[in-house]
Amino acid sequence: MKDILDLDRYPLDREGSAEWKRLVDSSVAALEADGMFNLEEFLRPGIAEKAVREIQPVMATRSHVHKRMHNIYFKPDIPELAPDHPALRKVETISHTVCADQIPGSVVLAIYEYEPLLRFLAAAMSKTRLHVMQDPLARTNVMAYRAGEALNWHFDRSEFTTTLLLQRSERGGDLEYRTDLRSDDNPNYDGVARLLEGRDPEAKIHRMKPGTLNVFRGKNTAHRVTTVEGERERMIAVFSYYEKPGVMFSDEERVGFYGRAA
């Protein structure tokens, strides 16, 4: 793994060392302050490009096109809101997805399953332990966004989202986010409406470099990927980890996300 990940800069393989503890502490502090942390140049030079070469043929010919209109909650309605409330404004998401079962033996899967990464992420997220997902489709996905496409405003279902940027688009394709827009006891619908109308001064844009590992507290932080421009698609791996082992999606969820149950 030392030829794939920069373990000199990010000592995941030296759990408990002073260097490892400093990395955990800085990641925890960034999560607290910004709702995310980034490990830039997490991949060794040339590895992101290698991963793209492995995935590109599948992405070009067998990826699932996901296109939908949705609100920020991915729900048909919110009982306490009128249907025309601006917090329920509809937006469009278009993406292309490659599932884990389509890229066996890939660099992306090797990184996803690297046990020291799981132990580091658990410490940074203040979790006792994390497990890889058992679901053969959902455990790792690679998402691509082409010209005119975007992942629009939403909140995540899970507390944390872990991604690895493999390829940056020529223009656009940036992560725009608003940290702690809501809380578990305050949905802040008026604040959500202001964000969707482009009137939130606390919204930020982050343009990640390929090879960056990003950990994002997405449950209460609204975020989107801005519309991609240019011929080069944005390509990002999404790693799904859980606190309990053996997690699987239902057939209905697989069909909804990937167009197939198996």
Side-chain angles (χ1 to χ4, degrees):
M1 191 57 67
K2 63 182 177 62
D3 295 327
I4 296 175
L5 306 181
D6 189 344
L7 298 177
D8 299 319
R9 183 174 182 180
Y10 301 113
L12 306 189
D13 57 341
R14 291 175 295 221
E15 184 177 359
S17 67
E19 296 84 1
W20 185 88
K21 290 178 180 177
R22 281 197 294 269
L23 178 61
V24 170
D25 289 346
S26 64
S27 301
V28 170
L31 275 175
E32 181 66 25
D34 301 322
M36 73 166 68
F37 70 83
N38 294 283
L39 305 187
E40 292 191 354
E41 298 179 353
F42 185 65
L43 300 184
R44 294 283 189 186
I47 298 301
E49 293 83 354
K50 178 182 178 181
V52 170
R53 288 195 299 272
E54 290 177 342
I55 295 163
Q56 190 65 62
V58 182
M59 185 67 74
T61 59
R62 294 192 288 127
S63 59
H64 174 64
V65 181
H66 188 77
K67 180 177 181 180
R68 65 186 293 190
M69 296 296 296
H70 60 89
N71 58 44
I72 197 170
Y73 306 102
F74 285 121
K75 295 180 178 179
D77 59 72
I78 300 293
E80 59 265 40
L81 294 182
D84 60 350
H85 191 284
L88 295 178
R89 175 182 176 181
K90 292 289 185 71
V91 294
E92 183 180 58
T93 283
I94 307 176
S95 63
H96 307 260
T97 305
V98 166
C99 297
D101 66 337
Q102 296 175 299
I103 50 172
S106 63
V107 169
V108 164
L109 279 181
I111 296 169
Y112 169 71
E113 296 171 348
Y114 184 49
E115 186 61 33
L117 174 59
L118 273 73
R119 294 198 294 269
F120 160 72
L121 290 173
M125 297 175 188
S126 301
K127 306 295 184 185
T128 302
R129 187 176 179 184
L130 290 177
H131 301 269
V132 295
M133 195 178 188
Q134 188 173 327
D135 194 290
L137 277 66
R139 57 204 321 260
T140 301
N141 293 160
V142 179
M143 319 289 289
Y145 303 89
R146 300 167 184 169
E149 299 175 351
L151 171 62
N152 229 307
W153 285 114
H154 66 287
F155 293 105
D156 290 338
R157 295 194 300 174
S158 56
E159 182 181 2
F160 293 99
T161 299
T162 303
T163 66
L164 180 63
L165 186 65
L166 303 176
Q167 181 170 276
R168 187 164 65 180
S169 55
E170 294 170 16
R171 297 177 303 280
D174 300 324
L175 176 63
E176 185 173 7
Y177 63 101
R178 202 316 193 154
T179 302
D180 293 333
L181 180 59
R182 66 177 183 179
S183 65
D184 292 344
D185 55 6
N186 179 12
N188 190 19
Y189 295 128
D190 290 340
V192 169
R194 284 193 297 273
L195 177 74
L196 296 176
E197 293 167 351
R199 297 189 293 110
D200 190 333
E202 295 187 45
K204 300 177 182 178
I205 291 182
H206 178 63
R207 185 159 178 78
M208 283 190 289
K209 300 176 182 177
T212 297
L213 184 81
N214 173 272
V215 175
F216 192 81
R217 192 190 298 274
K219 183 179 179 182
N220 291 325
T221 296
H223 53 288
R224 67 172 176 169
V225 174
T226 61
T227 303
V228 166
E229 300 177 30
E231 295 184 3
R232 186 172 63 242
E233 62 189 7
R234 182 186 198 262
M235 192 180 295
I236 192 165
V238 181
F239 295 158
S240 294
Y241 300 113
Y242 288 84
E243 292 182 74
K244 61 180 181 179
V247 173
M248 297 279 287
F249 273 174
S250 66
D251 286 352
E252 183 180 3
E253 286 174 313
R254 290 195 203 100
V255 170
F257 285 118
Y258 313 122
R260 59 190 173 101

